[in-house]
Amino acid sequence: WLQVILVLSTVNVPSGFNFEGRSSRLYRSGDYGKTFHDISSVMNNRFVKQEFGIVTGPGNSHQVILTVDVPVSEENGGVIFSSVDAGMSFKEVQLPFHPSQPISFHFSNASYLVAIGTDVSETANINCKRFSLFDADRRGELLLRRSQDLGETFTTIAQRIFSFGYIGGFLFTSVMEKLVRLETWLCIHCFHFQFYSVLDGDEDMIFMHVDDPGDTNFGTIYTSDDRGVVYSKSLERHLFGAEGKSDFTNITSLRGVYLTNVLEKDGRIRTVISFDRGGEWRLLNKPNNTECGHNIKKCNLHIHGEYSHVKGLAPVLPLSDPSAVGLIIAHGSLGDSITSVPPDVYVSSDGGYTWTRTLRGSHHYAILDSGGLLVAVEARGDRLVSVVKFSTDEGQCWKIYNFTEQPIFLAGLASEPGTKTLNISIWGYRTEENFKTTWVTVTIDFEHLLTRECEDEDYEEWLAHSDMGLDSETRGCILGYRETFKRLKKLSVCRNGRNYVVAREESPCLCTREDYLCDYGYYRHENSSECVEQLDFRDQALDVCLNGEENEIVTSGYRKIPGDRCKGGFTPPRRMKTVGKHCGKLKADPLESVSFFSSTVIVLAVVCVAAVTVLITAMLLIAKKMLCTRR
Ligand SMILES: *[C@@H]1O[C@H](CO)[C@@H](O)[C@H](O)[C@H]1NC(C)=O
Ligand SMILES: *[C@@H]1O[C@H](CO)[C@@H](O)[C@H](O)[C@H]1NC(C)=O
Ligand SMILES: *[C@@H]1O[C@H](CO)[C@@H](O)[C@H](O)[C@H]1NC(C)=O
Ligand SMILES: *[C@@H]1O[C@H](CO)[C@@H](O)[C@H](O)[C@H]1NC(C)=O
Ligand SMILES: *[C@@H]1O[C@H](CO)[C@@H](O)[C@H](O)[C@H]1NC(C)=O
């Protein structure tokens, strides 16, 4: 199904007009975008919800869902069009409710659809057991019920639910402490509503943002333990814009790396990066091929994320992929903080330790062939483009290809999900003399450029996080183990191909204090990895409520970081014994209530990079230039 591309175009009219002026058209290409056919007739002249778009199943799926915009006042419920043959044919399905979010696929079996809907219809004669029905007006009074037999029977597992969601291995609910009427709740919202947002999570832990009270646009990131019950402070003054956007980014090309932006007391936005899953955050190093200028004291790289994207500063988000080990491409500002000057494009080949400016000005970019090929097109709303830039050495040198005789206004790049492909489509439009707009897509197949398949000699061994650790014993150790990858040499011009899998070797590290969090009632002294007992906890039994049972923790102050795989070395004793039954507010409740601990003191390490002398910079530039010309 990789060759199939579906395009949905919608023409909307401002609200207040009748629905007649709206139209949706659906186009399908079965040949990687070389030709498109209008298949709008499959939608029976219905209007598809613009904000819901096209939903496709997980992986290289053949499942497609389109959601029709049905006015809530009309009809018995929503309507979807569903295809199981990659858009060759669609079936119209009447729903007994109006979906209020795009329909999604069940995480373990994509044969099941998951929906949140409003105003459940009484008259629909569809078997409702298949749907999880929930009434948005009764938030705060809802029951969370679980079925393990596909809806035959349910057990109630929590009450007074306001909302719920899944992330990684965790299920969350927000619970109203006191049952309040909607009017009262709205009032709380106006004055001192403090919101929580789960930023990201996996099987081991989650990152949670807890907003500061008031409209401050910042809050604190906490990281959870492996049960999602106890939280440690990770980062203060974390930017979270009024639009509900944060710049928190999981760098998926290197384990443990996350970056985000903080809103400093002086009102400036600065980028921080963590290489150990939120344990420590630091400013980004200055790229090695740029200078800040004389009067700028702090010279660091700052990355534009989602927040800059909604503000229109950066056309695309930072990009990384597990198949392109260590590679990151992103828009950034150089200097003391993020500025509104149009950003340049920067790359890192080692997961964010070192950076290089690779392109001047804003671009749309894509990673192809598992990192073997980078493609970029300049993004300027006011300028026509006709060239695409590409690089086979992670952005050290770029080549240019003129892809059209009639330049276009760029809309964006599109390729199949993931980075395995060598085909990229450039989307744009031209305006003709009669002000008619014509959409254009140019598909480039780079297989004609990278004709040779990579061989063993084209790869080299690379120790991830090799900047981490002071001696050979701890070098590259993150969360208790180090990883060595086989990576494509930058000088190799060949293709990884579709069947490429990242070769990886893993070895355990000896445990050190860094592999532990401070336990309940302990904290880390500034500049030290030792956990010290908090005065107000001294000689007190440490009781925590886990699984509705009271537990006493016998500890020497350390607990292993969730997911840390270190062996031997520093192993302080710790055990947990049950001392009582039934604690927590929700009695006999399998869910656990959450408590926050701020025992970990985070030291934000400001990495000062010594200024490189002009002479050395010049020599480096000459050396690089020769390298580029020779290739
Ligand atoms: C998903 O559910 C369908 C319908 O119950 C079943 O036929 C199919 O085997 C399931 N697939 C998997 C992978 O469990
Ligand atoms: C970050 O991305 C990696 C790679 O896709 C994934 O394995 C990991 O679970 C993600 N981390 C979190 C906290 O979601
Ligand atoms: C690309 O080709 C077109 C037509 O041949 C030409 O008008 C245009 O200037 C070229 N662009 C560049 C950047 O070379
Ligand atoms: C690129 O597209 C062509 C068809 O135009 C297809 O034959 C080829 O397999 C595609 N290459 C990749 C790597 O997807
Ligand atoms: C921690 O280290 C920083 C920088 O070296 C220093 O300025 C600060 O005083 C130290 N703090 C303590 C409590 O030793």
Side-chain angles (χ1 to χ4, degrees), residues 249-266:
T249 308
N250 180 358
I251 302 300
T252 56
S253 58
L254 200 62
R255 180 174 60 94
V257 187
Y258 296 85
L259 59 80
T260 194
N261 283 324
V262 289
L263 183 63
E264 301 277 25
K265 288 202 184 77
D266 58 9

Side-chain angles (χ1 to χ4, degrees), residues 279-294:
E280 203 180 293
W281 297 86
R282 56 171 97 162
L283 294 170
L284 265 66
N285 290 336
K286 182 188 82 69
N288 46 27
N289 62 343
T290 48
E291 294 302 328
C292 270
H294 292 301

Side-chain angles (χ1 to χ4, degrees), residues 108-109 111-112 150:
S108 68
N109 187 338
S111 307
Y112 295 99
L150 295 172

Side-chain angles (χ1 to χ4, degrees), residues 525-528 603:
H525 238 318
E526 206 181 328
N527 298 349
S528 144
V603 186

Side-chain angles (χ1 to χ4, degrees), residues 107-154:
F107 72 99
S108 68
N109 187 338
S111 307
Y112 295 99
L113 301 181
V114 183
I116 293 182
T118 49
D119 68 287
V120 179
S121 160
E122 303 289 336
T123 53
N125 54 4
I126 284 202
N127 184 357
C128 284
K129 261 190 229 150
R130 300 254 174 143
F131 298 98
S132 229
L133 301 175
F134 126 102
D135 183 346
D137 289 338
R138 289 182 49 228
R139 287 183 155 205
E141 304 172 32
L142 300 168
L143 300 178
L144 183 70
R145 308 209 292 156
R146 174 166 60 189
S147 169
Q148 289 171 305
D149 52 11
L150 295 172
E152 293 295 325
T153 58
F154 280 96

Side-chain angles (χ1 to χ4, degrees), residues 447-621:
E447 226 156 74
H448 303 291
L449 173 79
L450 298 176
T451 46
R452 188 170 70 83
E453 299 236 356
C454 298
E455 291 160 23
D456 270 353
E457 306 84 77
D458 292 311
Y459 296 91
E460 62 190 352
E461 292 222 326
W462 181 69
L463 172 65
H465 292 290
S466 50
D467 293 42
M468 213 59 150
L470 298 172
D471 47 46
S472 58
E473 205 128 277
T474 54
R475 182 150 302 138
C477 288
I478 290 288
L479 298 168
Y481 63 104
R482 60 167 74 80
E483 286 166 296
T484 312
F485 295 92
K486 277 238 169 75
R487 296 212 318 178
L488 198 59
K489 288 180 192 160
K490 289 206 174 70
L491 279 167
S492 297
V493 182
C494 60
R495 66 161 184 262
N496 285 316
R498 218 170 243 296
N499 300 326
Y500 170 74
V501 278
V502 181
R504 190 185 76 104
E505 259 172 42
E506 183 183 315
S507 60
C509 299
L510 284 181
C511 298
T512 65
R513 285 207 171 85
E514 266 70 35
D515 294 301
Y516 294 84
L517 299 168
C518 287
D519 217 333
Y520 320 113
Y522 287 78
Y523 70 102
R524 226 157 224 164
H525 238 318
E526 206 181 328
N527 298 349
S528 144
S529 56
E530 201 172 334
C531 293
V532 188
E533 197 169 9
Q534 251 163 272
L535 279 181
D536 42 351
F537 273 87
R538 190 150 290 167
D539 303 324
Q540 268 185 42
L542 289 170
D543 292 347
V544 291
C545 189
L546 292 174
N547 279 335
E549 284 183 344
E550 204 175 327
N551 286 269
E552 190 183 270
I553 300 166
V554 185
T555 179
S556 50
Y558 300 88
R559 78 199 150 91
K560 228 1 166 3
I561 295 171
D564 193 304
R565 298 197 210 155
C566 70
K567 293 212 169 70
F570 179 67
T571 43
R574 181 182 197 272
R575 72 198 154 81
M576 188 112 75
K577 63 175 193 230
T578 307
V579 291
K581 286 240 137 73
H582 301 317
C583 56
K585 290 198 192 74
L586 307 162
K587 289 231 162 56
D589 186 334
L591 292 177
E592 296 154 352
S593 43
V594 161
S595 50
F596 283 89
F597 262 86
S598 52
S599 52
T600 340
V601 177
I602 297 302
V603 186
L604 192 70
V606 183
V607 184
C608 304
V609 183
V612 187
T613 63
V614 179
L615 184 69
I616 296 178
T617 319
M619 278 167 57
L620 283 174
L621 283 178

